[in-house]
């Protein structure tokens, strides 16, 4: 496993217990759960037609940034999910502020991956980056003498309550990065089947999602032809926190019937 020194052998488990075993990446399970969702599990951010059997993508910030792609299998008549580690690709900043954030992260880690600015710890890094600005540049924001870092949950709460302008700015920048990465994933596979944002963070930030995340997804500034394509791509936030279990159950059903 990527973040643990564990080796899990599905064949060995099958031989030991005698039942079929499928090992899934966490967002592979989330991907298999998407067809099992209903309308009450989703918040639509970009209302566009879902094309049947078209590619879908799912991504989501949490402790890391997970992602997967879904492609229709004509022979088996269901979606296949292809997980990946695209979140570890190099962050492509937009505008001077994101460029400065990338430099801030690179100075600390030696390299700036997308995940480092697009997960729970990434939100904390963004907040710390904004706190590093000179007070003279934003006296109305930094007049509070407490300029200490905050955990992601506190940053989110402060942004939603409006009690901390730096937290609001950090959350908006964080959501913009999520939105632009969602748009990039949509363009890579022409995801007219929909783009789905999962994970534990985004649903909690829904009051701020529509502006920052959607605007970045649609590339409102420049790149007109691609904006038109993205405007025709459905975009959803998944609010069902059991989607991984739903996906695992779908895979278990297939193991029994296939």
């Amino acid at each position: 496993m990527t973040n643990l020194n564990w080796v899990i052998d599905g064949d060995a488990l099958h031989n030991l217990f005698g039942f079929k075993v499928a090992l899934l990446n966490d967002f592979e399970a989330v991907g298999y759960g998407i067809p099992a969702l209903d309308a009450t599990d989703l918040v639509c951010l970009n209302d566009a037609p879902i094309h049947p059997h078209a590619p879908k993508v799912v991504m989501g910030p949490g402790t890391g940034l997970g992602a997967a792609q879904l492609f229709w299998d004509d022979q088996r008549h269901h979606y296949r999910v292809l997980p990946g580690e695209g979140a570890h690709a190099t962050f492509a900043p937009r505008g001077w502020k994101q460029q400065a954030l990338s430099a801030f992260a690179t100075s600390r880690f030696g390299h700036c991956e997308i995940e480092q600015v697009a997960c729970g710890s990434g939100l904390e890094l963004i907040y710390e980056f904004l706190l590093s600005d000179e007070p003279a540049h934003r006296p109305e924001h930094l007049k509070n003498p407490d300029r200490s870092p905050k955990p992601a949950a506190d940053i989110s709460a402060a942004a939603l309550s409006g009690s901390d302008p730096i937290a609001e700015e950090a959350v908006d920048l964080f959501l913009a990065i999520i939105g632009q990465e969602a748009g990039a994933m949509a363009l890579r596979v022409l995801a007219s089947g929909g783009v789905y944002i999962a994970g534990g963070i985004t649903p909690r930030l829904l009051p701020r999602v529509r502006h920052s995340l959607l605007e970045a997804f649609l590339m409102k500034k420049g790149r007109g032809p691609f904006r038109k394509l993205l405007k025709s791509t459905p975009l959803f936030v998944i609010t069902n926190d059991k989607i991984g279990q739903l996906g695992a159950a779908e895979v278990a059903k297939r193991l029994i019937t296939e």
Side-chain angles (χ1 to χ4, degrees), residues 18 50 64 72 79 91-92 95 99 105 116 128 144 188 190 194 211 230 232 245-246:
I50 299 175
W72 184 255
Y79 275 97
F91 171 51
Q99 290 171 2
Q116 288 170 330
E128 187 179 349
N144 188 336
R188 289 182 190 114
L190 299 179
H211 170 69
L230 289 168
S232 67
Q245 291 93 318
L246 287 174

Side-chain angles (χ1 to χ4, degrees), residues 32 71-80 254-255 258:
Y32 279 114
F71 297 98
W72 184 255
D73 187 327
D74 282 324
Q75 291 185 331
R76 297 186 176 183
H77 305 290
H78 58 61
Y79 275 97
R80 292 182 59 211
R254 296 179 189 181
L255 286 176
E258 292 181 358

Side-chain angles (χ1 to χ4, degrees), residues 69-243:
Q69 303 170 348
L70 288 75
F71 297 98
W72 184 255
D73 187 327
D74 282 324
Q75 291 185 331
R76 297 186 176 183
H77 305 290
H78 58 61
Y79 275 97
R80 292 182 59 211
V81 179
L82 302 180
E85 294 293 346
H88 297 291
T90 301
F91 171 51
R94 290 185 192 169
W96 69 267
K97 189 171 292 185
Q98 288 191 18
Q99 290 171 2
L101 170 63
S102 179
F104 183 82
T106 300
S107 69
R108 177 165 301 181
F109 304 115
H111 178 246
C112 185
E113 299 177 354
I114 300 166
E115 183 176 83
Q116 288 170 330
V117 291
C119 66
S121 61
L123 177 57
E124 295 168 0
L125 182 76
I126 292 170
Y127 186 82
E128 187 179 349
F129 158 70
L130 294 173
L131 285 178
S132 71
D133 198 2
E134 289 293 330
H137 295 164
R138 50 175 82 215
E140 74 285 7
H141 290 180
L142 297 179
K143 58 186 178 183
N144 188 336
D146 180 14
R147 296 177 61 188
S148 57
K150 291 181 179 178
D154 290 353
I155 297 169
S156 298
L160 293 175
S161 69
S163 62
D164 182 348
I166 300 297
E168 292 181 76
E169 186 175 350
V171 163
D172 288 342
L173 182 53
F174 171 80
L175 290 173
I177 292 169
I178 298 297
Q180 64 200 49
E181 178 59 16
M185 288 189 67
L187 291 175
R188 289 182 190 114
V189 299
L190 299 179
S192 56
V195 176
Y196 298 80
I197 300 178
I201 297 176
T202 314
R204 299 190 189 106
L205 296 173
L206 279 174
R208 303 193 73 89
V209 159
R210 289 189 183 275
H211 170 69
S212 300
L213 192 153
L214 182 58
E215 182 174 290
F217 174 80
L218 292 175
M219 295 182 175
K220 283 196 172 180
K221 297 178 180 177
R223 305 185 73 183
F226 298 105
R227 182 177 182 273
K228 183 177 179 181
L229 181 60
L230 289 168
K231 199 169 178 61
S232 67
T233 302
L235 176 65
F236 304 95
V237 172
I238 299 170
T239 57
N240 187 331
D241 61 1
K242 304 297 184 186
I243 185 170

